[in-house]
Amino acid sequence: MFSEFPVDFWLALMLAVAAGWFARQIWNNSAKASVKSRTEPFNIQYFAGLNHLLNEQQDKALEVLRGLAEADADTVETQLALGHLYRRRGEVDRAIHIHESIMQRNGLPAFLREQARFALGEDYLKAGLLDRAETCFQQLIDQLGHRSVALRNLLSIYEQQGDWQQAISTYQQLSGFTSPEHPTALAHYYCELAEHAQQEGLMQQARDNLDKAFMAQRNFPRGNLINADFFLAAGDARNAAALCKRVMELHPHLLPIALPRFIKALRSLGLSMDNTDGELSLSSADTSQRAALAYAAIVANVLDEPYLLQCLPDFLRQDATLGEMVQALVGEPATLNASQLQSVAAALAKIFRRTQRYRCVSCGVNTGSHFWQCPGCHSWDTLAPVSRLELSPVSRRG
Ligand SMILES: [Zn+2]
């Protein structure tokens, strides 16, 4: 657990403790002799604690911090560092107790009260007490030193709560003075609102939100897919199919998401994927494109489309293990007839349903379904289909 936190983080934490402690000595206007007598033991213990942290000896560091806190219960910075360490160790109840105690102190300087409030907000966030965390961070957004992180944490809270209006407002406040961490997040918030309005039958509201999504991100692929759904619902399958085709061509990692919509739109037009309608034709002689289509069809379980079945041998050739397995059990993939291909496809789709189909390129979490926002690291647009069949089970989150 300790290794999750870089040395820089611990260094910064301990230096903050030291800086705060010395600042407090000055703030107290203590006599020089008194400062000296208290500085020396603090120095020794502080550097011992720092040494333990740098050597990844978290328990010993905790022991030192506890000793410091007990020796001088009035030193808020030490209490803050101890609370921080408890939270990092997962002992959130203890962290909350420490930080709440600090907040109850009378005569606490404003900057220390803000630090304690911020720490308490992070405790609540980690404990899943989102309403309490929101209150803490809301009280800090006017404080320059905490504004940016408080707004980021509020954004995370609103995302978790699915409160997209608040997320939009917070995102806009944040982007007023710093670059957003996830540039496409705003467009996703509007897409969430558009989808919700569509489900409620509020089509004008849905379209307004979709327009705002496109204002935030031009040609936003998720927006195009929602727009395709709108066209399909309105009976305009040609425009729906054209939008899906565009998304598949420009964003191959979204093939499994766009392909089922594309097929649905084609069928509404009385077409199939091997159609000769130039504008909507996806037929390709490129082996890797055909393999990608077959793979997407397996992941999305839409292998009843004859053209996609014809692409299956290209996918099996690309995945040596699978190809050899099929060859041993059924025959050389290129020589299989439609019925045999259908059986292989059905078996593969069954296996895929029980395996990891998507992986976050940012944190590596595996899921069985597609999410626009990674359930692991909460990044947007980072889930992509795994490049080939992996026979390990889906993660708990999937
Ligand atoms: Zn992730």
Side-chain angles (χ1 to χ4, degrees):
M1 182 130 187
F2 175 78
S3 58
E4 289 173 28
F5 309 107
V7 166
D8 286 356
F9 163 78
W10 294 111
L11 208 52
L13 175 65
M14 292 302 283
L15 290 175
V17 173
W21 192 87
F22 287 117
R24 186 171 176 275
Q25 303 310 305
I26 296 163
W27 178 74
N28 277 340
N29 257 340
S30 299
K32 279 186 182 175
S34 166
V35 171
K36 189 172 180 243
S37 69
R38 295 178 67 187
T39 300
E40 282 173 353
F42 180 88
N43 264 332
I44 294 164
Q45 291 186 62
Y46 157 68
F47 283 113
L50 180 59
N51 192 41
H52 290 317
L53 287 171
L54 293 177
N55 287 321
E56 302 197 0
Q57 294 171 305
Q58 196 178 11
D59 289 341
K60 287 186 178 175
L62 183 63
E63 201 178 304
V64 171
L65 273 178
R66 272 191 191 133
L68 280 169
E70 282 168 14
D72 186 357
D74 293 336
T75 307
V76 175
E77 294 84 356
T78 312
Q79 301 287 339
L80 283 169
L82 187 58
H84 199 118
L85 197 48
Y86 275 134
R87 186 193 324 124
R88 292 290 185 175
R89 289 165 58 92
E91 298 179 63
V92 187
D93 288 351
R94 286 184 163 178
I96 289 174
H97 176 74
I98 287 177
H99 294 136
E100 283 181 342
S101 300
I102 296 172
M103 291 290 291
Q104 285 163 5
R105 292 189 186 197
N106 291 323
L108 197 64
F111 77 97
L112 286 177
R113 187 171 298 282
E114 286 165 18
Q115 278 187 38
R117 181 171 282 125
F118 183 82
L120 197 52
E122 297 224 306
D123 297 339
Y124 289 146
L125 195 56
K126 184 147 187 174
L129 301 169
L130 299 186
D131 289 348
R132 290 188 187 188
E134 180 189 357
T135 304
C136 287
F137 295 128
Q138 280 287 4
Q139 291 170 342
L140 289 165
I141 56 178
D142 292 328
Q143 309 300 328
L144 268 181
H146 294 285
R147 179 187 292 168
S148 173
V149 187
L151 284 170
R152 285 184 200 283
N153 284 337
L154 282 169
L155 205 53
S156 166
I157 289 168
Y158 297 136
E159 285 178 352
Q160 288 178 61
Q161 292 174 328
D163 189 340
W164 306 114
Q165 291 286 11
Q166 286 277 32
I168 289 166
S169 158
T170 307
Y171 184 99
Q172 287 167 338
Q173 284 182 70
L174 192 59
S175 54
F177 61 91
T178 184
S179 297
E181 200 174 351
H182 303 293
T184 60
L186 185 61
H188 278 292
Y189 302 154
Y190 283 120
C191 284
E192 293 282 350
L193 289 174
E195 285 178 335
H196 183 71
Q198 185 198 20
Q199 285 158 14
E200 299 285 310
L202 305 168
M203 284 313 293
Q204 189 53 51
Q205 197 176 314
R207 287 183 205 289
D208 289 346
N209 280 306
L210 194 56
D211 286 346
K212 288 175 185 168
F214 284 125
M215 280 167 68
Q217 288 284 316
R218 283 184 63 203
N219 293 321
F220 192 48
R222 183 181 180 182
N224 279 329
L225 292 177
I226 293 174
N227 210 8
D229 290 340
F230 290 178
F231 277 125
L232 257 180
D236 187 348
R238 178 161 288 276
N239 267 322
L243 277 175
C244 293
K245 180 173 179 253
R246 182 177 178 162
V247 171
M248 289 191 286
E249 287 171 345
L250 294 178
H251 309 279
H253 69 285
L254 294 176
L255 266 174
I257 314 298
L259 193 56
R261 288 176 168 90
F262 181 63
I263 292 171
K264 190 176 173 185
L266 286 184
R267 287 177 181 168
S268 293
L269 293 166
L271 297 170
S272 61
M273 279 192 69
D274 50 4
N275 71 82
T276 52
D277 183 326
E279 192 190 332
L280 297 178
S281 175
L282 259 189
S283 303
S284 171
D286 185 307
T287 306
S288 64
Q289 282 176 12
R290 289 167 59 88
L293 271 174
Y295 179 77
I298 296 168
V299 172
N301 199 18
V302 288
L303 273 157
D304 53 341
E305 180 68 23
Y307 177 74
L308 295 174
L309 268 187
Q310 291 164 25
C311 294
L312 191 57
D314 295 291
F315 169 65
L316 294 172
R317 261 193 296 274
Q318 189 176 275
D319 189 321
T321 311
L322 265 186
E324 283 169 20
M325 205 157 68
V326 169
Q327 183 164 356
L329 293 171
V330 193
E332 161 60 35
T335 65
L336 301 182
N337 60 37
S339 166
Q340 288 170 315
L341 284 174
Q342 186 71 59
S343 300
V344 171
L348 288 176
K350 211 179 223 176
I351 295 170
F352 267 61
R353 274 200 293 279
R354 292 195 291 263
T355 60
Q356 53 203 8
R357 279 167 284 171
Y358 296 90
R359 179 171 299 144
C360 174
V361 295
S362 177
C363 73
V365 78
N366 297 310
T367 66
S369 312
H370 177 264
F371 297 94
W372 294 107
Q373 185 178 29
C374 172
C377 66
H378 305 298
S379 298
W380 292 91
D381 298 310
T382 52
L383 280 185
V386 291
S387 55
R388 58 182 57 206
L389 176 65
E390 294 182 13
L391 296 174
S392 48
V394 293
S395 70
R396 189 168 48 82
R397 292 186 179 103

